[in-house]
Amino acid sequence: METRELRYFVAVAEELHFGRAAERLGIAQPPLSRAIGQLERRLGAQLLERTSRSVSLTDAGSVLLAEARAALDAVAAAERRTRRAAQAPSGRAGLVLGSKAGAANELVAKLLAAYAVEPDAVEVDVLLLGPGQQEQALRDGRADVAILHAPWDDVAGFDTEVLVVEDPAVLVQAGHPLTARDAVDLTELPEAVGVPAPRWPDREGRYAEGPGPEVHDVTQLLQLIALGRTYLVAPVSAATLAGEGVVAVPVTGAPPVTTLLAWPPQSRSVALARFVRVATLR
Amino acid sequence: METRELRYFVAVAEELHFGRAAERLGIAQPPLSRAIGQLERRLGAQLLERTSRSVSLTDAGSVLLAEARAALDAVAAAERRTRRAAQAPSGRAGLVLGSKAGAANELVAKLLAAYAVEPDAVEVDVLLLGPGQQEQALRDGRADVAILHAPWDDVAGFDTEVLVVEDPAVLVQAGHPLTARDAVDLTELPEAVGVPAPRWPDREGRYAEGPGPEVHDVTQLLQLIALGRTYLVAPVSAATLAGEGVVAVPVTGAPPVTTLLAWPPQSRSVALARFVRVATLR
DNA sequence: GCCATCCATACCCGGGCGGTATCGGTCCGG
DNA sequence: CCGGACCGATACCGCCCGGGTATGGATGGC
């Protein structure tokens, strides 16, 4: 299977519509139909159930969709990491650290400072991303190492080292009834706040349907919280970035939030190994 | 990047010889040279240092080799798992369990028996492989779940559940001086045995140079041990399969051997989830 | 019943992949 | 020191395949 075929299949499987998928791929619809047909024939597997009115995935198609996404990420990662390795002079390729925009700022700053004074330290670029985007960046090679928060982020498939374990808190508008309390229990949560959770863009940059406001960065989110339009559950350390009009209330009965460093397991970079060591020694 | 280009590059990077790589790929040498050149131009990266007498990898080339292997494994896995999903009727695709040939036999048997009586149990095929091959099988889709032995097998990138933790032992010829002792310390190890370790085939089925005998399965290995030609370090439970002419001597000072179940993290198969649950509940 | 929609098929064209022939550079043996 | 073996790069050619347009056939809505 060629990556082109996988890209084509993923497009159709996601759109469930040959015409739109073809448009998204920048090709005409007939070659796309033919390519999918050839792929099915060669795999000996029906991937899509199609009538002239609808397209749906078969079981085999669902399997291929998940596997193809992983494979395409791996190919994208290969391309990006090779490009980056080639730019830098021998052995000095920089690192890209993926981090939640705005979250764990202090921790990241200390980490970078501690690493920077190491002998043989390489340049570290920080890639600020929305929630759930760091994992993806790690998988597709945009980042070499990332700050993740278990259990919210999916750590599966990465090597990890725990940095901090803390309790979660809920960030709400100052003056909100909850702020009069010492803590709120997890079981009360969506209702006790009274405002909908924010919606973040998915991997295609689109927003799912729902009641909450659409947000794409943390400053914007904090403003919306300060305006009483939404709320956020975050590690208590996030309280430091809360600022005017936003108050953190501890959440009880919830599993602790683990802030951890994650990186792809096949990585053999000495710079990365050193970075991880510095991070965990502190 | 197309998988064809990745296959070509990996062939050249492994052979470090365009002619041999081309032969292995079943194409002529000139198209291969051209393909690699195009790849380098498009990546903007020199991957190979070549004179007319030798070919070697650049730093960027080393990065691409590691990433390309992972990506090609992912593509191969996509293809195999899709094929398998298509063969079985809806929702009943079987599982493939990778296991070290001969090792953990009892454990595997119990596991399979316990799973088989579950409601909705699907067929489980067992794939017997040489050491270090189960990981590869898991990565390239030949297996869905595997029995691995930490710290010998590389668990990076998989989800795992621990099954058993035990101490290692060394299997030697009956009558060997060591068998008179209660235990042997790890630090004494290669020397105290006096015979070379066996050599297993690598991922291409070839054997590295070295003193030990070439082996490809466990029966053969046990015969060689019984003949006093080699030895093996294994979990103590392996003593049960030792049989005539082979004796297990406990090893001290070594980290315990963990027998665990591993599976690819992106797997969303309900059959696999149930299998893992049965395995860990025992 | 007609039309809009949507996927499949038919057909054509051009780029790119793979082939052979050959060049240019390097190492080695005599 | 020279000729030949070796090896990767280049030149050139033919054909397959991927992409295009046009159109068919099926289905559902008005």
Side-chain angles (χ1 to χ4, degrees):
Chain A
M1 281 194 301
E2 292 304 310
T3 63
R4 184 180 50 81
E5 303 178 281
L6 293 177
R7 278 194 302 273
Y8 287 8
F9 174 74
V10 169
V12 176
E14 285 179 356
E15 301 284 347
L16 292 177
H17 189 292
F18 280 74
R20 280 196 301 275
E23 191 184 358
R24 178 172 136 186
L25 292 166
I27 64 171
Q29 170 261 319
L32 180 57
S33 282
R34 194 179 47 191
I36 301 291
Q38 283 175 355
L39 183 60
E40 286 180 318
R41 228 170 307 124
R42 261 187 316 183
L43 287 175
Q46 179 146 10
L47 302 172
L48 298 163
E49 211 73 73
R50 53 262 220 200
T51 70
S52 68
R53 302 305 290 174
S54 76
V55 176
S56 63
L57 281 172
T58 63
D59 286 352
S62 301
V63 169
L64 183 58
L65 179 56
E67 297 280 342
R69 279 178 171 148
L72 289 175
D73 282 342
V75 172
E79 181 158 348
R80 265 191 269 259
R81 297 214 169 97
T82 305
R83 281 213 160 88
R84 291 234 325 280
Q87 282 173 5
S90 171
R92 311 228 98 286
L95 287 173
V96 177
L97 170 69
S99 178
K100 228 166 238 161
N105 277 340
E106 272 185 66
L107 184 68
V108 170
K110 280 189 202 159
L111 216 67
L112 293 177
Y115 174 70
V117 299
E118 284 279 303
D120 299 328
V122 301
E123 195 179 338
V124 178
D125 291 333
V126 178
L127 186 66
L128 294 175
L129 297 161
Q133 292 293 300
Q134 305 103 294
E135 308 162 47
Q136 182 60 22
L138 223 45
R139 286 186 221 281
D140 69 19
R142 280 175 296 160
D144 300 308
V145 56
I147 306 277
L148 298 182
H149 294 282
W152 294 322
D153 295 314
D154 183 14
V155 167
F158 299 123
D159 279 1
T160 57
E161 284 286 351
V162 173
L163 296 180
V164 191
V165 180
E166 20 177 11
D167 288 319
V170 55
L171 303 191
V172 292
Q173 183 183 27
H176 187 285
L178 274 182
T179 61
R181 296 170 49 175
D182 287 342
V184 55
D185 197 75
L186 182 66
T187 54
E188 309 175 63
L189 246 196
E191 298 78 14
V193 190
V195 287
R199 287 176 297 130
W200 295 95
D202 63 15
R203 68 160 67 192
E204 278 102 30
R206 287 184 286 220
Y207 290 89
E209 289 299 307
E214 299 180 352
V215 294
H216 66 267
D217 68 53
V218 171
T219 353
Q220 187 194 10
L221 173 62
L222 287 173
Q223 287 179 348
L224 286 166
I225 296 175
L227 292 170
R229 309 301 295 269
T230 188
Y231 73 101
L232 177 69
V233 178
V236 284
S237 67
T240 62
L241 65 91
E244 289 293 314
V246 178
V247 174
V249 181
V251 174
T252 56
V257 180
T258 307
T259 302
L260 38 77
L261 212 55
W263 62 97
Q266 88 264 23
S267 176
R268 290 265 151 268
S269 150
V270 288
L272 172 59
R274 183 159 310 215
F275 184 82
V276 171
R277 200 160 52 83
V278 169
T280 52
L281 281 181
R282 294 157 41 73
Chain B
M1 279 194 302
E2 292 304 310
T3 62
R4 183 180 49 81
E5 304 177 281
L6 293 178
R7 278 194 302 272
Y8 286 9
F9 174 74
V10 169
V12 176
E14 285 179 356
E15 300 284 348
L16 292 178
H17 189 292
F18 280 74
R20 280 196 300 274
E23 191 185 358
R24 179 171 135 187
L25 292 166
I27 64 172
Q29 169 262 318
L32 179 57
S33 282
R34 195 179 47 191
I36 301 290
Q38 283 175 356
L39 183 60
E40 287 181 318
R41 228 171 307 125
R42 261 188 315 188
L43 287 174
Q46 178 146 12
L47 302 172
L48 299 163
E49 210 75 72
R50 53 262 220 200
T51 70
S52 67
R53 302 304 290 176
S54 76
V55 176
S56 63
L57 281 172
T58 63
D59 286 351
S62 301
V63 169
L64 183 57
L65 178 57
E67 297 281 341
R69 279 178 172 147
L72 289 176
D73 282 343
V75 172
E79 181 158 349
R80 264 190 270 258
R81 297 214 170 97
T82 305
R83 280 212 161 87
R84 292 235 325 280
Q87 282 173 3
S90 171
R92 311 231 99 280
L95 287 173
V96 177
L97 170 69
S99 179
K100 226 165 243 164
N105 276 341
E106 274 185 64
L107 185 68
V108 170
K110 280 189 202 159
L111 214 67
L112 292 177
Y115 174 71
V117 300
E118 283 280 302
D120 298 330
V122 301
E123 195 180 339
V124 178
D125 291 331
V126 178
L127 185 65
L128 293 176
L129 297 161
Q133 293 292 301
Q134 305 104 293
E135 310 161 47
Q136 182 60 22
L138 224 45
R139 286 185 220 281
D140 68 19
R142 281 174 296 160
D144 300 308
V145 55
I147 306 277
L148 298 183
H149 295 282
W152 294 323
D153 295 316
D154 183 14
V155 165
F158 300 123
D159 280 359
T160 57
E161 285 286 350
V162 173
L163 297 180
V164 192
V165 180
E166 21 177 12
D167 288 320
V170 55
L171 304 191
V172 293
Q173 182 182 27
H176 186 285
L178 273 182
T179 61
R181 297 171 48 176
D182 288 342
V184 55
D185 198 75
L186 182 65
T187 53
E188 310 174 63
L189 246 192
E191 297 79 14
V193 190
V195 287
R199 287 176 298 131
W200 295 94
D202 64 14
R203 67 160 67 193
E204 277 102 32
R206 288 184 286 219
Y207 291 88
E209 290 299 308
E214 299 180 353
V215 295
H216 65 268
D217 68 51
V218 171
T219 352
Q220 187 194 10
L221 174 62
L222 287 174
Q223 288 178 348
L224 286 166
I225 295 176
L227 293 170
R229 310 300 295 269
T230 188
Y231 72 102
L232 176 69
V233 178
V236 284
S237 66
T240 62
L241 66 90
E244 290 293 312
V246 177
V247 174
V249 180
V251 175
T252 55
V257 181
T258 307
T259 301
L260 37 79
L261 211 56
W263 62 95
Q266 87 264 19
S267 175
R268 291 266 151 267
S269 151
V270 287
L272 172 60
R274 183 158 312 216
F275 183 82
V276 171
R277 201 158 52 83
V278 168
T280 53
L281 281 181
R282 295 155 40 75

